[in-house]
Amino acid sequence: MREKNYDAIIIGAGHNGLVTACYLAKAGWKVLVLERRYIVGGACVTEETFPGFKVSTAAYVNSLFRKEIIRDLHLESYGLKILERNPSSFTPFPDGSHLLLGPDPALNHRQIAKFSLRDANAYPAYEAMLERMATVLEPLLTMRPPNLVKPALRDLWGAYQTWKPFQALGSAMSEAFELLTAPARQILDRWFESEALKTTLATDAVIGAMASPSTPGTAYVLFHHVMGETNGKRGVWGYVQGGMGGITQSLAAAARHLNVEIRCDAEVARILFANGTARGVALANGDELVAPVVASNADAQVTFTRLLDQTLLPREFAEAITRINYESASLKINVALAELPDFLACPGREPGAHHRGTIHISPSLDYIEQAFDDAKYGQPSQRPILECTIPSVVDPTVAPLGKHLMSIFVQYAPYKLRGATWDELRETFADRCVALLNEYAPNFQRSVIARQVLTPLDLERMFNLTGGNIFQGAMTMNQLFACRPVPGFADYHTPIRGLYLCGAAAHPGGGVMGAAGANAAKEILRSSGRQVPS
Ligand SMILES: Cc1cc2nc3c(=O)[nH]c(=O)nc-3n(C[C@H](O)[C@H](O)[C@H](O)COP(=O)(O)OP(=O)(O)OC[C@H]3O[C@@H](n4cnc5c(N)ncnc54)[C@H](O)[C@@H]3O)c2cc1C
């Protein structure tokens, strides 16, 4: 069966695919979104995994989602609400001490001073340094990276535009380059002496990465995590009311209002192609849908090796795609709880300040290094790093009255295991994580009503994420900006005319940001001679 009346087809209803669809539809295009799952959202989704609980299956906190997208698409009028978390983090230690951090400078000073007065005094300057860098570098997120392989005149202009913010930093330029390339540990060791503070900050540097804080490039991952804001507050992360699907459900509602057609349970099996040009897609059920523009929200490996015959691609491009690093070591456990964890470091089962933010089980930098050592040799960490969040403390709508919901983001759980498979290790490794948390909160294990364990293999199966990489490709310097997904094609175009990338595989990469989707729409409209509407 052939249908023939769309201006653009979007493969995948992740948040980026939906953003692209909305901006194209706002420009008057007739857009079709095809999603292989039963629900829109990709990795930014809420599902009722346990009866009565609204589980953010994958992504669990927001700060990166672009405020101009919220404004342009009137997402608040479709129900989007971001709830601030204050304090934002709690790190309990085995000796019974703890560190709370958040947007309140007085609280931060008091808390850090418990471990080091020197660090407490240095912390505001560290935050100001990150803020300065973020302000200067943030405009790069929403720009189309220049083509450095075959530069046209506008790429030279783009390269100059890229360079300008660095120039504006003056002598702080070297600090910016350090942030983009160095190990996080190098920077944290220079700024601070307290292990408690350094390990709390370091977890942001390794999220989603198959790397430890002493791996070059991890400072950028740390920096990437301070680039957003919640309700105007830089670097503050929030919960989305009703779970992360609040973002994608509001996007889907905005899209439908703009006459975008969204079909779920509609897996694209092939991109149709003739004379070097994309013509549409073929679905797994055999239906063919035709459009002059196809934008893929799937990752680059899926798009170019599974949906297209690789022999149709220029050899150098096809080879570059096979070189993309999808290494990953992240696992997610979603847990329904009968009661809140009662931490030895902060006793009490009633909601407390320490339950609101991210709870870090990662007592020292060396602990993280050792956890990573296991992963290097193909084993899940003996003592993993846990990042736990309990959204129900801030947003009671996600759990039945009196019950709670916890997300546990775990590292390191390498996708490539030696001597076992994730189907064999899934539950025993999850038991290890539960037992570890129980050391810090002895009521935890018995309070678990139900759990969902998503290994890197499950993330690959569920979301079509190659290697289970949560960012659709590692966020390392050689895979960012003008090199994302591969050098020469960071402008959302591909070697196939009419085929674009519009998801996290493209600049500026992973995280629930929407920037890739919005940038791609802008580029698609520009190529067709239309302007992106605001
Ligand atoms: C476990 C986990 C935790 C995370 N935590 C956070 C967090 O707390 N905060 C944060 O900001 N980011 C987080 N991230 C990262 C963030 O969720 C992703 O980077 C982001 O959601 C990517 O969005 P996307 O729209 O580009 O792609 P995706 O969300 O990957 O969506 C792509 C969509 O395309 C669909 N698709 C793929 N192939 C096909 C096909 N052949 N036919 C039809 N449809 C197809 C997929 O089913 C999917 O719906 C996390 C990710 C994971 C996996």
Side-chain angles (χ1 to χ4, degrees):
M1 190 177 87
R2 271 189 174 234
E3 299 174 36
K4 219 181 188 172
N5 51 357
Y6 300 103
D7 297 314
I9 292 175
I10 315 292
I11 304 172
H15 80 286
N16 275 311
L18 292 168
V19 167
T20 304
C22 285
Y23 279 111
L24 295 181
K26 251 173 110 79
W29 286 31
K30 190 157 173 19
V31 184
L32 170 66
V33 179
L34 298 167
E35 168 55 48
R36 52 186 271 288
R37 293 198 75 210
Y38 74 97
I39 187 172
V40 301
C44 178
V45 68
T46 304
E47 295 177 88
E48 195 171 336
T49 312
F50 320 119
F53 290 83
K54 294 180 184 166
V55 178
S56 293
T57 311
Y60 51 103
V61 277
N62 172 68
S63 105
L64 302 172
F65 194 56
R66 305 289 308 168
K67 61 176 182 234
E68 64 274 13
I69 299 175
I70 298 178
R71 184 198 59 217
D72 291 350
L73 302 178
H74 312 290
L75 296 185
E76 283 163 350
S77 71
Y78 294 105
L80 176 62
K81 191 165 181 197
I82 316 276
L83 307 170
E84 207 178 306
R85 308 177 315 159
N86 183 9
S88 47
S89 78
F90 165 63
T91 312
F93 296 97
D95 67 0
S97 62
H98 72 268
L99 175 67
L100 285 167
L101 290 176
D104 174 0
L107 171 104
N108 293 341
H109 192 274
R110 261 195 329 273
Q111 286 285 319
I112 300 170
K114 293 190 301 188
F115 299 91
S116 159
L117 184 59
R118 186 190 143 214
D119 287 359
N121 291 335
Y123 191 67
Y126 169 81
E127 284 202 303
M129 179 275 290
L130 287 180
E131 165 117 28
R132 203 168 53 245
M133 299 291 166
T135 310
V136 167
L137 296 179
E138 198 176 323
L140 300 183
L141 298 177
T142 49
M143 77 178 267
R144 162 193 172 280
N147 185 337
L148 301 179
V149 178
K150 286 189 187 151
L153 201 56
R154 73 186 190 122
D155 294 306
L156 297 176
W157 176 246
Y160 172 66
Q161 293 291 106
T162 310
W163 177 245
K164 246 178 30 183
F166 287 97
Q167 196 185 22
L169 284 169
S171 62
M173 192 188 290
S174 66
E175 253 181 307
F177 285 134
E178 187 188 33
L179 261 185
L180 296 177
T181 58
R185 188 166 193 161
Q186 177 178 310
I187 295 172
L188 294 172
D189 277 342
R190 196 172 59 245
W191 276 89
F192 305 116
E193 61 184 11
S194 134
E195 203 54 36
L197 179 60
K198 286 191 283 189
T199 193
T200 300
L201 299 176
T203 47
D204 269 354
V206 296
I207 285 278
M210 175 66 178
S212 81
S214 57
T215 309
T218 44
Y220 177 75
V221 182
L222 186 146
F223 178 58
H224 190 82
H225 284 94
V226 300
M227 220 116 62
E229 59 166 64
T230 293
N231 303 331
K233 291 180 192 143
R234 164 82 66 196
V236 174
W237 287 73
Y239 295 121
V240 177
Q241 191 170 63
M244 289 294 281
I247 292 180
T248 40
Q249 288 300 328
S250 66
L251 279 168
R256 288 192 185 100
H257 189 77
L258 291 161
N259 294 320
V260 172
E261 183 182 336
I262 301 173
R263 294 192 203 171
C264 290
D265 294 310
E267 172 152 21
V268 172
R270 222 158 22 90
I271 294 168
L272 301 175
F273 171 94
N275 305 324
T277 304
R279 299 283 180 214
V281 299
L283 298 184
N285 70 4
D287 287 358
E288 293 191 350
L289 300 153
V290 177
V293 165
V294 175
S296 176
N297 186 190
D299 73 31
Q301 180 110 320
V302 169
T303 305
F304 297 108
T305 67
R306 303 234 303 267
L307 303 186
L308 269 170
D309 176 355
Q310 263 190 297
T311 59
L312 301 172
L313 297 166
R315 190 177 50 81
E316 278 181 13
F317 177 84
E319 282 173 6
I321 294 294
T322 62
R323 283 197 298 270
I324 295 175
N325 177 8
Y326 288 98
E327 267 191 318
S328 105
S330 308
L331 177 145
K332 179 97 189 291
I333 309 177
N334 297 311
V335 193
L337 292 175
E339 63 181 8
L340 284 172
D342 186 1
F343 285 94
L344 293 171
C346 241
R349 273 176 266 172
E350 291 307 310
H354 61 294
H355 289 120
R356 286 190 216 131
T358 300
I359 299 158
H360 298 268
I361 302 297
S362 147
S364 69
L365 285 175
D366 284 350
Y367 176 101
I368 305 180
E369 298 289 348
Q370 278 152 12
F372 180 59
D373 282 347
D374 295 329
K376 273 195 311 206
Y377 304 109
Q379 305 298 330
S381 304
Q382 271 308 316
R383 308 229 357 126
I385 305 162
L386 310 181
E387 265 220 358
C388 313
T389 46
I390 315 176
S392 48
V393 172
V394 176
D395 174 11
T397 70
V398 295
L401 193 65
K403 306 271 195 306
H404 286 279
L405 189 59
M406 184 189 270
S407 263
I408 313 179
F409 189 86
V410 183
Q411 295 213 166
Y412 297 86
Y415 175 79
K416 288 185 191 147
L417 288 173
R418 269 194 211 161
T421 67
W422 272 117
D423 286 329
E424 291 159 354
L425 289 195
R426 182 181 297 105
E427 297 305 325
T428 45
F429 183 66
D431 289 343
R432 191 186 300 169
C433 297
V434 169
L436 174 62
L437 191 49
N438 216 58
E439 291 176 21
Y440 291 80
N443 70 330
F444 178 68
Q445 199 154 0
R446 67 163 191 265
S447 66
V448 173
I449 303 170
R451 77 181 187 196
Q452 174 192 38
V453 185
L454 297 171
T455 69
L457 184 64
D458 299 318
L459 293 174
E460 181 174 64
R461 288 169 177 161
M462 190 178 258
F463 301 111
N464 229 4
L465 290 169
T466 302
N469 187 291
I470 71 163
F471 296 135
Q472 293 198 357
M475 300 280 284
T476 46
M477 257 309 120
N478 62 324
Q479 294 190 180
L480 285 172
F481 198 57
C483 298
R484 194 169 186 90
V486 297
F489 292 94
D491 57 0
Y492 309 94
H493 292 258
T494 71
I496 305 220
R497 262 194 314 278
L499 175 64
Y500 298 82
L501 283 185
C502 67
H507 169 73
V512 179
M513 206 185 284
N519 294 355
K522 219 184 279 178
E523 195 52 30
I524 294 167
L525 291 172
R526 196 196 59 78
S527 302
S528 71
R530 313 262 303 248
Q531 285 299 308
V532 71
S534 58

